[in-house]
Amino acid sequence: MDTLTREEVEKMIREGKSLRDIDLTFAELDGIDLSGVDLSGASLTGAEIRNANFEGANLEGAFIADADLSGCNFKNANLTRAVLQRVQLRNANFENANMFKVQLMVCDASGANFTGADMRQSRLEKTKFRKATMDKAVITHSNLRATDFQEASFIGTKISYSDLRKAQLQRAWFENLEAEEVLIYGKAPWVEGTKAKLDIEQIKAPSWDD
């Protein structure tokens, strides 16, 4: 099947056609308005969809790899069980998004906004969240191994029962954090320069000094 054009996708939306399980592989859809659209099960591999509007869209179970979604708006979107691998998400907005059991693997979400996002039981390994806003996000029971949270903001964030081993947290801001039984390693430099109201004794793993 040939790659769908922007005009074809917009025509499908106008005509009320279903976009569930749609194949948008290698599609070039910068700036498109997909707000409120049901894209559950969609494939966006290799797509270029920068600065698009996915507000309130349903991306449950979508598969996105090697794509550029920088600057996109996912506010209130449903990304439950979506899989994103090697995706550019710089400065994207995930405010209040449903990201339950999402997988963000080896992505770049630097500067992105995850305020109030539900990221329970997620996998975020090896993803960059530099200068990202994680305020009031719920990231409990999650795998955050080898993530880069340098200069990120964690105000009122819940990260209890999560694995942050090998995470980079230099100069991050922690305030009113819920962090019971979080697995981390090391002392400096992971918290070097951290501006934090952070109780190290509360969040360090039992094997901290091993």
Side-chain angles (χ1 to χ4, degrees), residues 73-136:
N73 179 23
F74 294 95
K75 184 177 179 179
N76 297 320
N78 179 16
L79 289 100
T80 301
R81 296 183 176 84
V83 177
L84 291 80
Q85 297 178 348
R86 301 176 301 279
V87 178
Q88 297 296 331
L89 298 166
R90 293 183 301 275
N91 301 312
N93 180 24
F94 293 91
E95 186 178 353
N96 295 325
N98 181 356
M99 304 179 74
F100 178 67
K101 289 193 173 180
V102 75
Q103 297 185 43
L104 267 63
M105 313 284 287
V106 201
C107 296
D108 185 354
S110 299
N113 178 19
F114 293 90
T115 300
D118 180 356
M119 305 172 77
R120 291 171 298 141
Q121 298 183 41
S122 58
R123 295 184 62 191
L124 311 177
E125 294 107 303
K126 298 182 180 178
T127 287
K128 288 183 181 178
F129 294 93
R130 288 192 179 193
K131 298 185 177 180
T133 302
M134 316 302 294
D135 300 349
K136 298 182 181 178

Side-chain angles (χ1 to χ4, degrees), residues 16 26 32 37 52-53 58 71 73 80 90 104 132 145 171 188 195:
F26 299 119
I32 194 170
V37 173
N53 186 11
N58 182 11
N73 179 23
T80 301
R90 293 183 301 275
L104 267 63
R145 293 196 69 166
R171 298 177 303 283
K195 304 170 195 146

Side-chain angles (χ1 to χ4, degrees), residues 145-160:
R145 293 196 69 166
T147 45
D148 185 348
F149 283 114
Q150 294 185 63
E151 299 183 75
S153 173
F154 294 84
I155 299 174
T157 310
K158 298 179 181 180
I159 58 170
S160 296

